[in-house]
Amino acid sequence: MNKRRVNSITYGALISALLGAFLLLNRQLAGMFDVYMLWIIPIPVIVYCLKFDVRQGFVMGIAMVLLTFIVATPMTLFYVASSIAAGLIYAHGMNKGYSSMQLIISVIMVSLFMLVVTTVIFSSFFGYSLADDIEFTRQSTEAIFKSMAAVMGDSVLENPLIKLMLSNNFMLYIIMLSSVLTSVLEGILVHLLAVLILKRLKMPMPPIRPLSEIRAPLIIRIFVALVFVLSVLNMFQIPFIAKYSQIIMALVPVAYIFCCFYGYLLAVTWINWKMPGRNSRIMLVFIMVALMILFPWFMIVVGSMDMFTNARDAILKGILYEQNR
């Protein structure tokens, strides 16, 4: 048996042993870490597959699934198996030279599969009730608006937009949207963690595209502009537009997320020019999160500046000018 084969068995056994310890801790904590499996397990699987190959990674994955079957619950087994599959697909994509976007999408698709299985197909088995979740969200939102009505008057509850937001269909959309965005976040997070770990281990990394080169496609710009124009017109209760109020209100959060994303890219470009340094970028993250919560219109303006003006090009020209001085 050659040295590489011995190393693959040793590393695979070590990763499986660490997974076993993690699963025992998770079981003692009543499955607290089940929802974080997709954030944790794919990383060692990716590293193992790149160090050896995907076929040996598949064998290690089977061993990890069998170990999970012994020490964990059936629900945890599903999460672990899906997370291992995400790691194997990601590593296979890296070996095939897939772009960063394709790698992220591969993890997102696995996460969406987990979402559909746990919330729709086998929801009762996983102890989840979509109807109860909708009702709880509606009651919580209604309590907030009633608190506002106590200060501003009962006319708040008579607002057609407020009534729309308290409808079950709108609540279902918000819950599903938040779940899909969670899958997108998981895909991005797995990709970023993989880049950091692989760079630290001096292993081949997925292709990285500079943030300054990420621009909003035309279809996204048209979508954002159309949604915000319709949302403003919807406030005037125009009959033709009012018929589609529920659809318009459902699309506004998506447009806002696009604005926040491209607004963040514009802010990052400006920070790198005016205040270079790691601490400045960390502080920017907290500032942007606060602005998203407290001043949503500000984020819409900043994101629109990046999508519909040449503000970022002007900043990049300034950076280039400073470098050539």
Side-chain angles (χ1 to χ4, degrees):
M1 186 178 294
N2 57 37
K3 183 177 180 180
R4 180 179 176 83
R5 182 64 175 170
V6 172
N7 287 340
S8 68
I9 295 174
T10 303
Y11 279 96
L14 177 61
I15 294 174
S16 299
L18 291 174
L19 174 66
F22 174 73
L23 293 175
L24 288 174
L25 176 63
N26 180 58
R27 187 162 186 171
Q28 293 299 317
L29 297 176
M32 181 183 298
F33 297 123
D34 280 352
V35 294
Y36 303 110
M37 294 293 183
L38 194 63
W39 297 20
I40 301 171
I41 294 178
I43 305 303
V45 174
I46 293 169
V47 173
Y48 182 88
C49 290
L50 294 179
K51 186 174 181 64
F52 300 103
D53 58 57
V54 178
R55 289 184 179 180
Q56 294 188 51
F58 182 75
V59 174
M60 183 191 70
I62 293 176
M64 294 170 70
V65 169
L66 293 175
L67 177 63
T68 306
F69 179 77
I70 296 172
V71 301
T73 63
M75 291 183 292
T76 303
L77 175 63
F78 172 76
Y79 290 122
V80 171
S82 300
S83 302
I84 293 172
L88 292 173
I89 294 172
Y90 188 99
H92 176 74
M94 282 194 61
N95 289 336
K96 294 295 184 179
Y98 291 171
S99 65
S100 294
M101 182 59 67
Q102 291 173 313
L103 295 174
I104 293 173
I105 291 176
S106 66
V107 180
I108 292 174
M109 296 306 295
V110 174
S111 179
L112 288 175
F113 170 76
M114 294 171 60
L115 170 68
V116 171
V117 171
T118 55
T119 63
V120 179
I121 301 177
F122 298 113
S123 57
S124 59
F125 176 76
F126 287 90
Y128 179 81
S129 174
L130 186 58
D132 293 343
D133 201 4
I134 292 173
E135 182 61 22
F136 175 78
T137 305
R138 192 192 64 78
Q139 291 178 359
S140 301
T141 307
E142 186 177 18
I144 295 174
F145 286 126
K146 285 183 178 179
S147 300
M148 294 173 57
V151 178
M152 303 172 62
D154 293 336
S155 59
V156 172
L157 298 177
E158 299 301 322
N159 190 307
L161 294 179
I162 301 300
K163 291 182 178 181
L164 173 63
M165 294 176 64
L166 292 176
S167 65
N168 286 340
N169 288 338
F170 188 80
M171 291 298 166
L172 173 62
Y173 169 79
I174 293 299
I175 291 172
M176 298 308 297
L177 177 63
S178 62
S179 300
V180 171
L181 292 178
T182 300
S183 298
V184 174
L185 176 62
E186 288 176 338
I188 295 173
L189 183 61
V190 169
H191 179 69
L192 294 177
L193 288 175
V195 170
L196 292 174
I197 298 299
L198 294 175
K199 182 178 181 180
R200 186 72 175 176
L201 296 176
K202 299 180 179 180
M203 298 178 67
M205 295 191 303
I208 302 175
R209 187 180 180 185
L211 292 177
S212 59
E213 296 181 4
I214 301 177
R215 302 302 179 95
L218 178 61
I219 188 172
I220 290 181
R221 285 181 283 167
I222 294 174
F223 171 79
V224 170
L226 185 62
V227 168
F228 284 132
V229 169
L230 290 175
S231 64
V232 172
L233 294 176
N234 189 40
M235 295 179 183
F236 297 98
Q237 295 297 304
I238 300 174
F240 174 74
I241 297 177
K243 293 191 299 183
Y244 304 99
S245 293
Q246 190 167 349
I247 298 175
I248 295 171
M249 289 295 295
L251 294 177
V252 167
V254 180
Y256 177 60
I257 290 169
F258 282 127
C259 285
C260 290
F261 176 73
Y262 289 104
Y264 175 77
L265 295 183
L266 179 63
V268 166
T269 306
W270 185 84
I271 284 288
N272 286 335
W273 179 28
K274 295 296 184 180
M275 294 180 290
R278 178 172 176 270
N279 293 333
S280 300
R281 290 191 289 271
I282 293 175
M283 182 61 66
L284 174 66
V285 173
F286 292 102
I287 293 174
M288 297 299 287
V289 171
L291 291 175
M292 288 172 59
I293 299 173
L294 302 176
F295 304 100
W297 284 105
F298 176 81
M299 292 303 303
I300 292 174
V301 171
V302 175
S304 299
M305 286 177 57
D306 185 75
M307 286 187 282
F308 301 106
T309 69
N310 61 347
R312 206 190 318 176
D313 290 331
I315 294 174
L316 292 173
K317 289 180 180 178
I319 296 174
L320 185 62
Y321 174 77
E322 292 289 343
Q323 292 175 346
N324 293 333
R325 288 182 60 182

